[in-house]
Amino acid sequence: MFTNWITAIKAHDDDVDTLTKLERSERMSKIRSKNTKPERLVRSALHKLGYRFRIHARNLPGAPDIVFPSRKQVIFIHGCFWHAHENCSVANLPKTRRPYWRKKFARNKERDATNVRALRKLGWRVFTIWECETSKPDKVAQRLSRRLGPPGKPSNA
Ligand SMILES: [Zn+2]
């Protein structure tokens, strides 16, 4: 059902109806935002490199998508549209009802920033990966690996 929705949105990108569909799907975006394709790509690339991690830690601010508890590092994988990725072609502001969307995206960004601040306060290092970067999951995983340190047991565990 969800897949159909997303396909419908993509297929009718220029439809007058699009925004209504987006707004309706927004209500479901909480569900849609977990286990997305970008998340799965990054997770499997990290697995390939030998990393082990937890996912969707609801006990942490913002329920980070990937969590490395002993390294004290978390990763968010953000959809470019909903999280309003700046200067990103995927994150274009819809052509109508712009004030609505501007407000909506500003709220999402503020929420993201609040979560990052809260996590840092708790001593976590936070990395954000954008959906548009995950078309090259191996590249992303290698970049993350430089920040995470070698896979396997971290030296301070
Ligand atoms: Zn993007």
Side-chain angles (χ1 to χ4, degrees):
M1 157 109 187
F2 261 124
T3 319
N4 291 343
W5 261 98
I6 294 159
T7 312
I9 289 165
K10 279 185 183 148
H12 298 96
D13 218 17
D14 297 312
D15 251 60
V16 186
D17 204 28
T18 304
L19 289 182
T20 330
K21 281 178 186 166
L22 275 172
E23 284 166 42
R24 264 182 276 157
S25 82
E26 181 202 329
R27 261 174 258 154
M28 302 185 238
S29 68
K30 270 223 160 70
I31 306 160
R32 196 151 52 84
S33 71
K34 294 298 163 201
N35 295 311
T36 57
K37 191 180 171 208
E39 274 181 54
R40 281 183 276 123
L41 287 173
V42 174
R43 277 177 353 210
S44 85
L46 283 170
H47 265 303
K48 261 200 302 192
L49 291 179
Y51 288 100
R52 294 294 173 265
F53 41 82
R54 290 175 51 208
I55 59 168
H56 307 153
R58 298 192 184 281
N59 57 323
L60 292 175
D65 299 308
I66 301 178
V67 183
F68 298 87
S70 54
R71 297 169 201 266
K72 272 279 196 177
Q73 306 207 42
V74 299
I75 299 169
F76 284 105
I77 296 153
H78 281 343
C80 295
F81 182 75
W82 294 111
H83 295 265
H85 189 197
E86 273 164 49
N87 303 318
C88 171
S89 60
V90 184
N92 280 331
L93 195 66
K95 289 187 175 61
T96 57
R97 300 202 56 201
R98 293 202 151 181
Y100 168 86
W101 290 104
R102 238 179 238 125
K103 220 157 107 190
K104 168 91 209 143
F105 291 147
R107 258 201 320 270
N108 287 353
K109 275 186 110 67
E110 183 47 44
R111 192 182 308 125
D112 291 341
T114 303
N115 287 332
V116 169
R117 276 194 301 270
L119 284 160
R120 287 195 177 134
K121 234 179 181 167
L122 293 167
W124 293 85
R125 287 181 77 196
V126 183
F127 304 123
T128 299
I129 298 294
W130 292 95
E131 174 188 7
C132 60
E133 300 174 293
T134 61
S135 58
K136 291 177 178 150
D138 291 327
K139 237 179 159 173
V140 168
Q142 264 162 34
R143 207 175 80 219
L144 285 171
S145 151
R146 281 196 293 274
R147 298 180 185 234
L148 290 165
K153 264 201 162 134
S155 50
N156 62 345

